[in-house]
Amino acid sequence: MVDKTSSYKDHVSTITEDGKGRKWMYPKLIKGKLYILRNIFAGALLTLLFAGPFIKVNGEQLILLNILERRFAFFGVIFVPQDFYLFVLGTLIFIVFIVLFTSLFGRVFCGWACPQTIFMEMVFRRIERWIEGDAKQQKKLDNGPMTTEKILKKTSKHFLFLLISFLISNIFLSYIIGSDQLIQIITEPLAGHVTGFISICIFTFVFYIVFSKIRELVCTMVCPYGRLQGVLLDSNSMIVAYDYVRGEPRGKRKREAEPDVIGDCVDCGLCVDVCPTGIDIRNGTQMECINCTLCIDACDMVMKKINRPKRLIGFFSDEHITNRKQFTVGRRIYSYAALILILSAILSFLILRRTDIETTILRASGTLYQMRDDGTTVSNLYNAEFYNRTSQSIKFQVVPQGSGTQIQYITKPEELKKGASMKITFFIIQDIKNIKSYKSDIKLQVLSAGKVLENIETTFIAPPN
Ligand code: SF4
Ligand code: SF4
């Protein structure tokens, strides 16, 4: 059942109707079953998020996204810039997964797993309630005069907000630069880590502003994911929805009122009071709904009180509400799942066939061939770049294949540290008598302790015999 005026469609729920002001949210807290479950889940995710940078797999951080040095690690597997195509493929799989997941369960990721919601609802609002009291008390405090109590409460709340933001910014940074480097910034003299320290301060400020001021506007106005719902959801998607067939016509009812005459919704407004984005789910699916499930808990509590079955608001598909059809997985979902499987298989294959060292060898630009002084040999100059994908240092050498072919280093390969890169320059020298054409292919091997790490083919130019 849609709001008769449909005015909710004309403006964002947390912005005043004239578009000039902000409606500050004071969501009520109902500790229902789903809220408790969500707390446990959020606790596990927060533990993982904070422990992540300090967990090492194969000597590498569990997840490292070092965009500055272009070094990435996932579960002990190191990715170098040359693996960019894998990153693109991985991103593609992730996008299809999001499409699949959203088509099935709507925006439930936002309410249950998104760091923004978890920090906002489970950490910052909790601190707010602890210091300023429940929704009613918070509103009274905000609208009341500036007393000593108010100053004390506001100061301590914002001090704690800043402290938590500082902690989050440290963790955030450790995912980018690595926990080892973060520990250096913390423990070593500031003069040596000015950039790192400034970054921490900037992130702290951003997180503080997001969680103390911007809040739910991140979900309703900034995040593009919510806006995708309109195209991804269909009548089979399971989302937080109000069962209007059962609930309407809404209205105050006595405990034993005849259920056939009026619907189950007693129009108490509790589902709106608990909503952190300020919407009325009874108006239907809305972009602002983050599927946090708080309104389900709230309505369940009301239904229990009036002796009616739970889940007037619940995880329903439109098909279930209108036609009472059971949830079915459609062809579209199977197609997404098949696509994910195929792309994942390709990604796994590409990851497995990667070599320990990524090598790029190119003839030095602007050079042709050089006739050697002995008159019997000719050389080409090459630049090579090596990336170590393993979690150990590697000693290696480049060995040309074929008789009469030698290598002469200008810069010699040294030990290549884990995840590091190195550039070297060398000549490949060939006997003139072996040259058959102006341009020919030559084969090189990158060897480490007698083991072939990579076979490379490149071109060699020389005047033909
Ligand atoms: S909490 Fe339930 S009964 Fe109360 S207004 Fe919302 S839908 Fe109706
Ligand atoms: S409508 Fe319900 S599920 Fe959606 S954001 Fe509001 S409380 Fe959360």
Side-chain angles (χ1 to χ4, degrees):
M1 175 70 74
V2 173
D3 174 359
K4 287 192 185 77
T5 63
S6 292
S7 63
Y8 71 95
K9 289 179 180 172
D10 303 333
H11 59 92
V12 178
S13 54
T14 51
I15 302 288
T16 53
E17 286 176 34
D18 59 10
K20 289 182 182 157
R22 166 104 177 257
K23 286 187 200 164
W24 194 257
M25 290 290 110
Y26 298 97
K28 264 190 185 168
L29 178 65
I30 303 281
K31 291 183 180 169
K33 271 189 188 156
L34 288 170
Y35 176 78
I36 293 167
L37 249 176
R38 207 169 134 230
N39 260 285
I40 296 168
F41 188 61
L45 288 182
L46 283 175
T47 310
L48 207 66
L49 181 81
F50 279 86
F54 305 98
I55 299 173
K56 302 265 166 118
V57 182
N58 293 335
E60 273 303 318
Q61 196 166 301
L62 190 67
I63 294 175
L64 178 73
L65 305 165
N66 194 337
I67 35 178
L68 308 173
E69 292 172 13
R70 298 183 299 157
R71 218 162 66 77
F72 306 89
F74 291 93
F75 299 90
V77 182
I78 296 172
F79 295 88
V80 298
Q82 275 71 9
D83 296 325
F84 186 71
Y85 66 102
L86 296 176
F87 175 76
V88 173
L89 195 56
T91 310
L92 198 65
I93 294 170
F94 182 65
I95 291 171
V96 182
F97 177 75
I98 286 183
V99 170
L100 167 73
F101 192 79
T102 312
S103 307
L104 273 175
F105 304 114
R107 214 177 160 181
V108 77
F109 166 85
C110 300
W112 282 62
C114 174
Q116 160 71 21
T117 314
I118 290 180
F119 278 117
M120 187 66 246
E121 302 302 322
M122 304 296 174
V123 180
F124 286 88
R125 272 203 215 283
R126 183 163 280 161
I127 293 172
E128 201 160 58
R129 282 194 192 103
W130 178 54
I131 295 175
E132 296 183 354
D134 62 20
K136 225 175 173 178
Q137 290 165 318
Q138 285 174 31
K139 201 170 181 176
K140 197 173 159 204
L141 189 74
D142 282 354
N143 296 332
M146 192 56 79
T147 58
T148 316
E149 188 201 356
K150 185 170 177 175
I151 293 172
L152 269 176
K153 282 186 172 174
K154 291 285 175 195
T155 314
S156 39
K157 181 181 92 170
H158 287 284
F159 173 73
L160 280 179
F161 276 11
L162 265 172
L163 205 68
I164 307 274
S165 302
F166 176 72
L167 197 66
I168 300 172
S169 76
N170 275 272
I171 290 299
F172 181 68
L173 200 65
S174 64
Y175 276 99
I176 298 175
I177 59 171
S179 54
D180 295 340
Q181 211 172 327
L182 178 77
I183 290 169
Q184 279 178 13
I185 295 176
I186 296 170
T187 53
E188 290 177 5
L190 181 63
H193 301 283
V194 177
T195 318
F197 180 72
I198 292 173
S199 310
I200 292 177
C201 292
I202 293 172
F203 287 139
T204 303
F205 179 71
V206 171
F207 286 127
Y208 169 73
I209 292 296
V210 164
F211 292 116
S212 66
K213 302 280 176 226
I214 305 178
R215 301 193 156 196
E216 73 287 337
L217 294 186
V218 172
C219 314
T220 58
M221 299 186 78
V222 182
C223 177
Y225 178 51
R227 284 155 208 276
L228 278 178
Q229 282 191 107
V231 285
L232 296 179
L233 299 183
D234 63 17
S235 57
N236 274 315
S237 304
M238 298 284 286
I239 49 168
V240 174
Y242 165 66
D243 186 346
Y244 56 85
V245 174
R246 198 187 123 191
E248 301 295 325
R250 68 184 76 160
K252 304 285 174 213
R253 61 164 25 229
K254 292 195 186 94
R255 195 174 272 255
E256 299 307 330
E258 319 86 298
D260 295 341
V261 178
I262 59 166
D264 278 351
C265 174
V266 292
D267 209 8
C268 63
L270 196 59
C271 52
V272 183
D273 294 342
V274 295
C275 179
T277 60
I279 58 168
D280 186 343
I281 193 66
R282 294 172 299 168
N283 289 329
T285 311
Q286 289 149 79
M287 191 266 296
E288 293 98 326
C289 178
I290 54 167
N291 279 214
C292 68
T293 62
L294 284 171
C295 52
I296 301 181
D297 274 342
C299 193
D300 277 357
M301 197 181 83
V302 177
M303 291 300 110
K304 196 175 169 199
K305 267 191 195 156
I306 63 165
N307 223 2
R308 297 294 303 150
K310 285 180 177 178
R311 298 295 144 95
L312 176 59
I313 300 176
F315 260 105
F316 304 127
S317 67
D318 192 44
E319 279 292 337
H320 170 82
I321 295 173
T322 44
N323 304 318
R324 293 296 177 226
K325 270 194 187 166
Q326 287 305 311
F327 174 67
T328 48
V329 177
R331 235 185 286 168
R332 187 164 70 111
I333 301 297
Y334 283 122
S335 316
Y336 291 146
L339 188 59
I340 290 175
L341 276 179
I342 293 167
L343 291 176
S344 303
I346 296 172
L347 181 66
S348 311
F349 171 74
L350 291 175
I351 289 176
L352 287 175
R353 67 180 276 279
R354 289 187 322 157
T355 49
D356 285 351
I357 282 189
E358 170 70 38
T359 312
T360 313
I361 295 183
L362 293 170
R363 246 192 10 260
S365 61
T367 61
L368 284 173
Y369 53 82
Q370 304 83 37
M371 294 304 299
R372 293 271 154 161
D373 291 344
D374 57 15
T376 60
T377 54
V378 59
S379 66
N380 279 192
L381 183 65
Y382 293 88
N383 289 323
E385 189 163 14
F386 302 87
Y387 281 91
N388 182 356
R389 283 196 183 105
T390 69
S391 51
Q392 297 143 8
S393 296
I394 293 181
K395 279 185 181 164
F396 70 98
Q397 54 178 323
V398 181
V399 180
Q401 301 296 288
S403 61
T405 310
Q406 308 156 45
I407 187 163
Q408 182 187 18
Y409 290 113
I410 294 176
T411 42
K412 274 202 150 193
E414 292 161 8
E415 191 169 280
L416 188 52
K417 297 226 163 47
K418 66 168 190 174
S421 67
M422 179 189 291
K423 286 181 180 165
I424 64 167
T425 309
F426 56 83
F427 285 110
I428 294 289
I429 306 165
Q430 290 223 63
D431 281 347
I432 287 180
K433 63 176 173 6
N434 291 342
I435 307 292
K436 298 277 181 285
S437 59
Y438 177 71
K439 197 173 195 177
S440 57
D441 290 336
I442 52 161
K443 288 182 177 151
L444 307 167
Q445 280 187 336
V446 181
L447 298 181
S448 175
K451 188 182 152 202
V452 180
L453 298 182
E454 195 167 13
N455 287 302
I456 304 143
E457 216 172 88
T458 185
T459 55
F460 188 91
I461 54 171
N465 257 328

